[in-house]
Amino acid sequence: LYVRRDVFNRADFVKWAQREKDWLPVAPSAEHINTLLDRGSWVILRPLDAIARAPFLREDGSICDAPGYDPSSRTLYIPSIEFPPIPEAPTRDDALAALARLREPFNEFPWKEPASESAFISHILAEAARLAMERCPMYFYDAPMAGTGKSTLQEMAARIVHGTEPALRPWVSDE
């Protein structure tokens, strides 16, 4: 009983309730408790706010690129692919070269105006800095007709930053 109460105080256990369409708190199961006890020391539970699949920006502006648990951000970093090394002290020229490299695959995309490309670049940068931001912008893609590439663009921010395909949902138009 003591172990169950202590684990419940150290972690939030939730379950999706379809009827309420919400996450509701639940008590940890015997399987959860036994798994922790079998580890030998269950008091090593650390707070976990996020799981990252790519190097990420911390709130203080530093970059976490070491796999494993990052105590300052309370994030578990498990790389999805092998990422290139990040320079210790990037220069302005490094930043401009990175921007050119980022823009190059989209140089033939039919941007309506320069601001459209800028918004797309901001989507990529926001995805990379998401863990450092209290609130992150939401991005919507619109086009006058089908087949212009908006689905491809909306996927690219996650593919570029995380190295994986994003989970997408269609827009639901009913209440």
Side-chain angles (χ1 to χ4, degrees):
L1 179 63
Y2 170 75
V3 172
R4 181 182 291 265
R5 187 183 71 238
D6 200 40
V7 168
F8 194 71
N9 290 334
R10 292 175 182 261
D12 293 329
F13 290 82
V14 294
K15 180 178 181 181
W16 179 253
Q18 186 63 36
R19 189 175 359 162
E20 289 85 358
K21 303 270 191 254
D22 197 6
W23 293 97
L24 300 178
V26 295
S29 69
E31 183 180 358
H32 291 122
I33 301 300
N34 291 335
T35 299
L36 291 169
L37 289 174
D38 287 347
R39 291 196 49 132
S41 176
W42 57 271
V43 294
I44 61 166
L45 290 177
R46 295 174 274 189
L48 182 65
D49 290 338
I51 298 173
R53 299 174 294 179
F56 61 91
L57 195 63
R58 296 183 186 102
E59 282 186 36
D60 66 4
S62 62
I63 295 173
C64 177
D65 61 352
Y69 182 74
D70 181 57
S72 66
S73 65
R74 297 166 39 145
T75 299
L76 179 61
Y77 171 37
I78 304 170
S80 59
I81 59 173
E82 187 173 333
F83 290 91
I86 299 170
E88 286 287 325
T91 65
R92 177 175 169 75
D93 288 341
D94 291 334
L96 291 172
L99 177 60
R101 185 172 178 198
L102 189 62
R103 292 175 69 192
E104 197 279 325
F106 306 98
N107 65 3
E108 293 183 25
F109 193 82
W111 303 108
K112 180 179 178 184
E113 55 197 4
S116 299
E117 182 186 20
S118 296
F120 172 65
I121 298 295
S122 81
H123 184 183
I124 296 168
L125 297 176
E127 190 69 32
R130 179 168 293 218
L131 294 176
M133 299 193 285
E134 187 175 330
R135 290 185 177 86
C136 185
M138 185 179 288
Y139 293 86
F140 293 93
Y141 290 79
D142 192 18
M145 67 185 80
T148 58
K150 61 187 175 296
S151 295
T152 300
L153 277 183
Q154 67 187 19
E155 291 179 15
M156 292 317 298
R159 287 180 183 270
I160 290 168
V161 173
H162 303 294
T164 60
E165 185 174 337
L168 299 176
R169 293 185 201 146
W171 180 262
V172 178
S173 59
D174 66 0
E175 285 126 33

